[in-house]
Amino acid sequence: MIQIQNVTDFSLKYTLESGQSFRWNRIDNAYYGVVEGRILKISQAGTTLCVESSANEDEIHFVSFLRHYLDIARDVPKILAEVDNDAYMHRALEKLWGMRILNQALWETVASFILSQNNNVPRIRGIIRRLSERFGEHLTLAGYVDYSFPNADALARATEDELLACGTGYRANYLRNTAQAVVSGELSLILVKQMSYPEAKQALMRQEGIGEKVADCICLFSLGHLTALPIDVWIKRIFETLYLRRRATHREIRQFAHNYFGAGVGYAQQYLFHYVHECSNWADAEHLSLIELK
DNA sequence: TTCCAGGAGAGAG
DNA sequence: CTCTCTCATGGA
């Protein structure tokens, strides 16, 4: 077990439970998840993180990897101060203080958010769990059993029926075709990692099944592009009711949000998104569900 | 039974 | 460009 000390302005709970990763399970006070081929067990006590791994880790590299994965290395409080522009945002920041945006493995993020379209989080988690059980590698850590996320090669070779059996629904061929594009090099993940945000988004959106929202999720939750703004039904609802107070197109929301929140708009989005899910009795909930927009 | 979920694509206007 | 319809699945 290794410890990471002096981790300030960080919440393991909100980071791992905010719908950006589908792979973490809380058992008692610890979180178990599969990250890049090994099981990790992470717990937080104050500003100390305790981490166990199913793999043989080189401590220096492992700590460096974790700091990047959990976005601890970034000056997030500075970013959050810059988006703290109003009472709504301020309450979200207070409630969820310490939530970070993960830097997750690119292929897993691409595949996961292809599966996320027109779907809900519990079901997305179930699909990914079944895909991993069926096509991933068996892993164990102190009695805890899980499976690695299947690589692109394994999903490229899967039949449509095998994917359907995991519950992918109509997204099966989106997933398989994208896996094949990654294997063939038609979609080079190595190159995508080196691209700017607009370039990466454009390259991802050439794949069938990856539209603007999914591409933005990949850019934000894997590539660290904090200007990415995934607009799902809830983010659209929030901006229409709380900020613009009228019906608005994605383009209008995007323009307003970038102008209003600036370069940290991706972080602002994540706090607003999770806040409405975390607080079903939110004082402003009636604005989101009852206001008639014309 | 109908509605909804971290949408995308095709088609019409 | 915007709007609308459909797509597979399961829980509420």
Side-chain angles (χ1 to χ4, degrees):
Chain A
M1 186 192 71
I2 68 111
Q3 288 192 349
I4 306 179
Q5 312 273 1
N6 302 318
V7 180
T8 56
D9 306 301
F10 178 78
S11 165
L12 187 66
K13 171 185 170 64
Y14 293 134
T15 300
L16 299 184
E17 292 185 5
S18 55
Q20 50 180 320
S21 174
F22 305 102
R23 292 288 274 167
W24 289 95
N25 299 301
R26 186 168 59 81
I27 298 176
D28 298 327
N29 194 32
Y31 287 85
Y32 292 78
V34 182
V35 181
E36 301 197 19
R38 82 279 244 183
I39 295 175
L40 298 182
K41 175 186 178 183
I42 310 181
S43 58
Q44 176 175 21
T47 58
T48 299
L49 296 179
C50 297
V51 187
E52 296 176 49
S53 172
S54 66
N56 238 334
E57 308 281 358
D58 173 79
E59 182 163 338
I60 301 292
H61 291 96
F62 188 46
V63 170
S64 162
F65 168 79
L66 288 169
R67 291 176 61 83
H68 177 252
Y69 175 75
L70 297 170
D71 214 28
I72 293 169
R74 205 195 294 264
D75 188 356
V76 172
K78 179 184 175 186
I79 294 166
L80 298 182
E82 289 170 355
V83 302
D84 189 6
N85 291 342
D86 56 80
Y88 299 119
M89 192 66 222
H90 189 74
R91 265 179 285 172
L93 291 170
E94 278 190 332
K95 169 70 181 173
L96 303 175
W97 186 254
M99 179 172 65
R100 304 268 173 157
I101 290 179
L102 296 166
N103 296 108
Q104 304 180 75
L106 182 51
W107 165 243
E108 176 173 342
T109 308
V110 169
S112 296
F113 281 93
I114 284 175
L115 296 170
S116 78
Q117 66 168 235
N118 199 22
N119 214 338
N120 57 67
V121 172
R123 225 175 75 77
I124 298 164
R125 291 170 58 88
I127 295 168
I128 292 172
R129 181 174 44 76
R130 289 186 289 274
L131 285 172
S132 299
E133 287 171 0
R134 174 65 182 79
F135 299 103
E137 183 187 344
H138 180 272
L139 301 168
T140 174
L141 171 64
Y144 181 86
V145 174
D146 210 331
Y147 298 81
S148 64
F149 189 84
N151 57 35
D153 198 60
L155 293 183
R157 285 196 311 265
T159 67
E160 184 180 357
D161 284 342
E162 287 176 318
L163 297 179
L164 287 173
C166 295
T168 56
Y170 70 93
R171 312 159 193 86
N173 280 324
Y174 291 160
L175 179 62
R176 198 161 69 103
N177 293 340
T178 302
Q180 289 172 353
V182 168
V183 171
S184 74
E186 178 188 337
L187 174 61
S188 169
L189 299 185
I190 295 179
L191 290 182
V192 168
K193 288 182 189 176
Q194 298 168 354
M195 292 177 186
S196 67
Y197 164 53
E199 291 170 338
K201 183 171 174 178
Q202 189 179 27
L204 291 164
M205 286 179 65
R206 279 200 288 269
Q207 286 305 312
E208 196 179 349
I210 302 182
E212 187 165 29
K213 191 270 179 184
V214 167
D216 272 328
C217 283
I218 297 165
C219 286
L220 183 60
F221 300 139
S222 176
L223 299 172
H225 295 309
L226 300 189
T227 52
L229 175 63
I231 303 177
D232 74 319
V233 291
W234 283 100
I235 290 298
K236 180 172 162 64
R237 207 168 291 167
I238 289 168
F239 276 98
E240 286 184 334
T241 56
L242 301 187
Y243 289 99
L244 295 168
R245 299 199 174 277
R246 60 181 172 82
R247 286 195 62 201
T249 63
H250 285 201
R251 180 184 149 74
E252 291 172 317
I253 292 171
R254 194 172 297 283
Q255 191 168 9
F256 169 82
H258 277 94
N259 180 53
Y260 183 71
F261 286 119
V265 63
Y267 255 97
Q269 171 276 151
Q270 190 62 12
Y271 274 79
L272 291 172
F273 175 85
H274 192 44
Y275 190 51
V276 295
H277 287 75
E278 184 78 7
C279 305
S280 55
N281 60 346
W282 186 14
D284 301 302
E286 70 261 26
H287 291 283
L288 295 178
S289 57
L290 298 181
I291 285 184
E292 287 290 332
L293 295 168
K294 43 180 190 294

